[in-house]
Amino acid sequence: DGKPAALGHYRRAIAAYDKAGNRRARASAEFNALRVDERGITPEMWRSLASLLEDAKSLGNRSFEGAVLHLWGDKLFATGDFDGAIDKLNEAIGVLESIPPTDELGTTYTSLGRVFRLHGQNAAAVQYQLKALAIHEKLGPPVSLVQSLNAVAVSYANVPDAKRAKIYYERALALADTVSPDARNLLRANYASFLGFNGEPERGRTLLMDTLATVSPALKTWRYTELALIDRFLRREDEALEAAGQAVGSCATALTRFDCIRARQTRAMVNLDLGNDAAAVADHDAALRELEDLHAHLAADDFLKQGFEDLWAPSYSLAIELHFRRGDVREALETAERARSRALLDLLASRETRASHASPVLTTRGANPASLRSDASVESATMADLAATAAQLHSSLLLYWVADDKIYEWVVSPDGALGSASVAVRRSKLDDLVHATSAFGDDAASRGPTTRTRGEQDVPLVMKPRAVWRDLYDLLILPVAHYLPTSPGARLTIVPHGPLMNVPFAALRDAQGRYLLERYAVHSVTAGAMLEHVHAGTANPRSGSMLLVADPAPTPKIPGDPPLPRLPGADAEVKAIARLLPADRTTVLADTAATEPRVLAATGHQAVVHFATHAIVRDADPLGSFLALGRPADGSASGKLSADKIYKLTLDANLVVLSACRSGEGVATGDGIAALARAFFYAGSSSLIVSLWDIADEPTNRLLPAFYREWLKGADKARALRAAQLQLIADLRAGRVKVSTPLGDVVVPEDPAFWAAFILLGDPN
């Protein structure tokens, strides 16, 4: 009853200060009243906050101004207005950083870190919490120091880094005993949950049970959810169900909507354990409806939306399994579509309004890491949408969802028919198979003659057929093969997920030794709704202009790395492509002419942009991934066409080709693609050809000119790439492709390492 009583005292103080005309004291009392008021957000509260902010400004009290903005941000967070919360918290930080450091600055960093944590960006959250801790260790009161230590521990536990989390929890616990009973109870409950999920479930459960009698209403849902999860782990299903029921029943007073979602999902899992499938589906569907509503209110920040998507992927996996168990494969498919590439779809839709947006495309949002403004919130594809896309493309859609222990597969035919299958396989096993598709390794040079890739890796020229291509076929194609078209050269639109983003489906091989490419023309999209938001472009690729960039020099300097090698094969590749078109339709920038400023100046009006250069993919810093261009002599540019620069381009390109090593790689997030490909779609390309691994000059300089020949003759992009790859396979089988090595000329093997690296993303037409 402490906070309601305190609120009453503060209100009486406000009235007394009003009567006395003490404006400063009245403002302080009203601020404290708002801080302890847990009745929910009202219009009156917003008016009070706005009035307090004006008071702080007129009093010239920067510290109080920052505190009001911080409180405002916390209140917005509680309502689920995360974008507003971030803006207010960053405003607070801007004000508080303009004066000597205060305890309030530290607690504001803590609040901002919490927003990041609930969007799944735990590494970023840790950095904010550590900044707060550094301040509180120097000048904060003990209660703030306990708060910071706890926040750091929670964030490390979510990374996950249990070792560090335990260190900070124990520091916080040691200090909490000297602060207050409330602080001690909060820390004991948090630490109990940590133990419950990190190897000491019985001890954790005992500690957690001891805290429930004093838990505040705002935390009741959270605590009972954790208790239910620990009981579930301990196989105490009846007790878990009771705790989950308590969690759901207290949702009305939960601190955030996330707490109630977790409570419903936890009860769904327990009901599933008990065989109560109908009850599990009801709870989980209600939770997913809440998640879908939250999606519309996420921070307008691409970085945070991507984290949110990854954070909740396990919940969607559970929903998909529930629907499969009940035979509701259509609902399962629509659930998968709600879970994939939503951040990318929002970003592509946001691009349409960027010309009128007051903020720059790339923004730091105050103290936040550099990110992209993403204001839109788009709907995912329904079954009707998917059927319409299949009919429009004259293609069968082959869609996947990868969970921890299963792959779910669907086929949507052009006539709207739906087929499905699920395959039991551990995610770790699938990861190993995908990794095994690589032909590169430290021992490559010891297996006989090798050739070097553009990334300076050795790839062996003597290889045995690799079983991985058949293994992946049996997992990914065979279970739904009877739903696929039978006409030769029919189109397949692959919608991969997770590790399947890095699989060249064209190379999968059936029991008869046929590659999937030999039956189908294949291309990929990241979600069923992607093509609705890809820029169509107005430039005609068969009559418009083409920019060809080859072997730039001098290349960018990369600290700690040797200079990037020259690419003579890339130069030959571009010259062969240029010969296919009239000279007045091609711009060739090669060698010292291919500087960053000249390339950027030439990109905007091109129907096709082709880069034959180095690609450097930074998994830890996607915006810093770059294509290597030339450094101008005057030092005016770095020669790095980085993803953040690409996002700022305005292209009208029907096609962008990234003939570079690993140009289609990136961290396999829920968005499907990262780094360079994602940036080019945002910039305006309707489709891309990218590589999934390091490519060798030979036979790449054969493959891509052959693609252009087929495309310029009238084939669509998917079939043109297929024709070029089939021709290369025929040449490899006939021994017509050779490379020079110290051992003499060596025939290049038929292995997919030499022909399957390039895939088509986006619009196949």
Side-chain angles (χ1 to χ4, degrees), residues 612-692:
T613 182
H614 293 283
I616 306 298
V617 177
R618 308 289 196 200
D619 288 344
D621 177 24
L623 289 174
S625 300
F626 66 90
L627 294 172
L629 299 177
R631 288 182 286 119
D634 62 6
S636 59
S638 66
K640 297 178 181 179
L641 181 55
S642 54
D644 60 346
K645 295 175 184 176
I646 297 166
Y647 276 112
K648 295 176 184 178
L649 296 177
T650 301
L651 302 180
D652 196 28
N654 185 276
L655 174 66
V656 171
V657 178
L658 305 183
S659 179
C661 295
R662 299 181 64 224
S663 60
E665 273 201 349
V667 177
T669 67
D671 250 8
I673 54 174
L676 301 171
R678 198 172 189 271
F680 274 111
F681 275 121
Y682 183 83
S685 178
S686 63
S687 57
L688 286 96
I689 291 178
V690 297
S691 66
L692 294 179

Side-chain angles (χ1 to χ4, degrees), residues 37-121:
D37 191 345
E38 293 184 337
R39 296 172 305 148
I41 310 302
T42 64
E44 179 187 359
M45 183 176 290
W46 296 138
R47 287 192 294 270
S48 295
L49 285 164
S51 176
L52 274 177
L53 188 60
E54 289 305 312
D55 286 344
K57 290 178 178 178
S58 63
L59 291 168
N61 189 333
R62 299 286 281 172
S63 178
F64 187 47
E65 181 183 346
V68 173
L69 287 165
H70 177 193
L71 178 61
W72 201 335
D74 282 348
K75 295 293 186 183
L76 288 166
F77 172 85
T79 69
D81 182 355
F82 304 114
D83 201 46
I86 287 174
D87 284 340
K88 289 300 181 191
L89 292 172
N90 275 322
E91 281 186 60
I93 288 169
V95 169
L96 294 168
E97 285 183 339
S98 70
I99 60 176
T102 64
D103 169 65
E104 189 70 38
L105 176 60
T107 57
T108 308
Y109 279 133
T110 298
S111 291
L112 192 55
R114 179 178 60 174
V115 181
F116 273 63
R117 189 173 73 243
L118 286 183
H119 280 76
Q121 295 293 359

Side-chain angles (χ1 to χ4, degrees), residues 298-645:
L298 293 176
D301 185 298
D302 180 51
F303 175 69
L304 293 180
K305 286 186 176 183
Q306 288 186 65
F308 183 86
E309 197 165 335
D310 290 336
L311 177 66
W312 291 98
S315 301
Y316 287 100
S317 292
L318 176 59
I320 291 166
E321 170 62 16
L322 284 169
H323 286 306
F324 254 84
R325 285 193 183 196
R326 294 166 61 86
D328 298 331
V329 295
R330 174 177 177 145
E331 288 80 359
L333 174 55
E334 290 182 340
T335 299
E337 285 299 297
R338 285 196 292 272
R340 73 167 98 241
S341 289
R342 298 297 290 281
L344 175 61
L345 297 180
D346 282 357
L347 188 64
L348 293 177
S350 300
R351 176 198 57 204
E352 298 165 10
T353 61
R354 70 179 180 180
S356 59
H357 200 285
S359 299
V361 175
L362 189 67
T363 174
T364 59
R365 303 292 304 279
N368 297 351
S371 187
L372 293 151
R373 186 82 189 179
S374 179
D375 298 282
S377 176
V378 302
E379 299 292 329
S380 59
T382 64
M383 178 60 199
D385 296 328
L386 296 171
T389 298
Q392 179 187 356
L393 294 177
H394 304 290
S395 179
S396 293
L397 307 186
L398 182 50
L399 308 100
Y400 296 92
W401 181 265
V402 178
D404 284 341
D405 56 0
K406 279 186 184 176
I407 304 172
Y408 302 92
E409 306 173 6
W410 300 265
V411 176
V412 180
S413 302
D415 62 1
L418 175 63
S420 65
S422 65
V423 181
V425 61
R426 296 295 303 171
R427 173 70 178 261
S428 56
K429 171 66 174 177
L430 183 61
D431 287 339
D432 289 343
L433 287 172
V434 174
H435 180 73
T437 61
S438 172
F440 306 103
D442 295 336
D443 61 338
S446 67
R447 296 197 295 255
T450 64
T451 186
R452 303 222 83 183
T453 68
R454 291 179 182 177
E456 291 286 90
Q457 289 203 74
D458 289 311
V459 56
L461 290 168
V462 177
M463 291 193 211
K464 296 178 180 179
R466 290 184 284 153
V468 64
W469 302 110
R470 169 70 189 281
D471 293 340
L472 285 170
Y473 181 95
D474 288 348
L475 284 174
L476 303 177
I477 304 298
L478 188 61
V480 290
H482 52 293
Y483 299 118
L484 298 179
T486 57
S487 55
R491 184 183 285 167
L492 282 187
T493 300
I494 309 293
V495 187
H497 176 247
L500 303 185
M501 302 294 176
N502 294 317
V503 173
F505 277 76
L508 304 188
R509 208 164 191 177
D510 65 17
Q512 289 73 45
R514 291 176 303 170
Y515 295 114
L516 196 67
L517 178 78
E518 294 179 280
R519 296 176 57 194
Y520 302 112
V522 177
H523 77 112
S524 296
V525 295
T526 65
M530 180 181 177
L531 294 181
E532 296 177 30
H533 300 284
V534 167
H535 180 63
T538 58
N540 187 327
R542 295 193 176 91
S543 61
S545 57
M546 180 183 294
L547 172 65
L548 301 166
V549 180
D551 191 23
T555 51
K557 295 178 180 178
I558 305 175
D561 287 351
L564 295 171
R566 297 303 301 269
L567 303 171
D571 186 58
E573 172 188 311
V574 159
K575 286 177 179 175
I577 295 167
R579 287 194 291 269
L580 302 173
L581 293 121
D584 61 354
R585 285 179 51 201
T586 61
T587 299
V588 177
L589 297 176
D591 197 53
T592 56
T595 63
E596 181 185 339
R598 291 192 65 180
V599 171
L600 289 176
T603 55
H605 61 281
Q606 306 289 342
V608 179
V609 181
H610 183 106
F611 293 94
T613 182
H614 293 283
I616 306 298
V617 177
R618 308 289 196 200
D619 288 344
D621 177 24
L623 289 174
S625 300
F626 66 90
L627 294 172
L629 299 177
R631 288 182 286 119
D634 62 6
S636 59
S638 66
K640 297 178 181 179
L641 181 55
S642 54
D644 60 346
K645 295 175 184 176

